Amino acid sequence: QGKEGLYAAVFAQKIEPMRTLMAEVSSSAAAPAEKLAEILHRTARYILFEEPCIKALFAECLQGNRLPDDTAELIAWRHEVIVRILNDGIKRGVFRECDVDAVAWSFFGLIAPYMLLTPVVQPEHKRGAYSADFVKRVADAAVDLLLRGIRHP
């Protein structure tokens, strides 16, 4: 399998904590807005600070136009989790009616530029980790933008 097999094996190892994080937060008793904020903050911290190699792996795989099956499955499952949280928030009257499918895809898109455009965003980091403070600023801004946009008036 060569290079693709190596990427798939590394991805499988690196993405498992994200699956655990999503399952843990989504099944908690927290309010929907708190769940979304927690997932976004912890995902940003994991990908942009704790495991910056994931950024490079995504970039490499996307250049080849193919994600490993485990990664594609995680992304689809993660989308379903966010859709469930959004629907719960709408049902509770916390979030307004919206296109939950599009919002769920946009949810992680809020941090995607920081994964894919590191050399432009902070050239000094290239493929390395952003600082913890910078990641917190990114996650805070993304959560604020998302929750102000879907919060019920």
Side-chain angles (χ1 to χ4, degrees):
Q1 290 237 8
K3 189 175 175 180
E4 278 189 22
L6 175 62
Y7 284 138
V10 172
F11 250 133
Q13 177 190 19
K14 296 295 183 185
I15 65 173
E16 193 55 38
M18 292 175 61
R19 185 183 311 272
T20 303
L21 169 145
M22 293 282 296
E24 177 184 299
V25 174
S26 67
S27 65
S28 75
E34 291 170 1
K35 288 180 182 182
L36 293 177
E38 183 72 13
I39 289 169
L40 195 61
H41 271 95
R42 289 176 61 183
T43 300
R45 182 170 178 81
Y46 183 73
I47 292 173
L48 302 177
F49 179 69
E50 294 172 10
E51 289 291 347
C53 70
I54 292 176
K55 295 185 305 180
L57 290 169
F58 264 112
E60 287 289 328
C61 289
L62 291 175
Q63 284 177 354
N65 239 359
R66 178 150 168 35
L67 288 172
D69 291 341
D70 286 352
T71 304
E73 289 170 16
L74 173 68
I75 291 169
W77 175 79
R78 184 176 75 171
H79 176 264
E80 293 168 16
V81 169
I82 299 303
V83 165
R84 283 195 305 272
I85 294 170
L86 291 168
N87 281 327
D88 182 42
I90 291 168
K91 187 173 101 182
R92 292 180 185 204
V94 176
F95 303 148
R96 64 179 173 80
E97 289 289 330
C98 61
D99 182 340
V100 294
D101 187 57
V103 172
W105 284 119
S106 298
F107 181 76
F108 289 104
L110 293 167
I111 62 169
Y114 300 96
M115 290 173 57
L116 302 175
L117 302 173
T118 304
V120 176
V121 176
Q122 285 194 342
E124 67 275 15
H125 292 290
K126 303 241 186 248
R127 288 186 177 210
Y130 290 105
S131 71
D133 288 341
F134 182 78
V135 172
K136 182 175 180 338
R137 279 185 39 226
V138 167
D140 286 346
V143 166
D144 183 59
L145 180 64
L146 176 76
L147 293 182
R148 286 181 190 262
I150 62 172
R151 197 169 303 266
H152 197 278

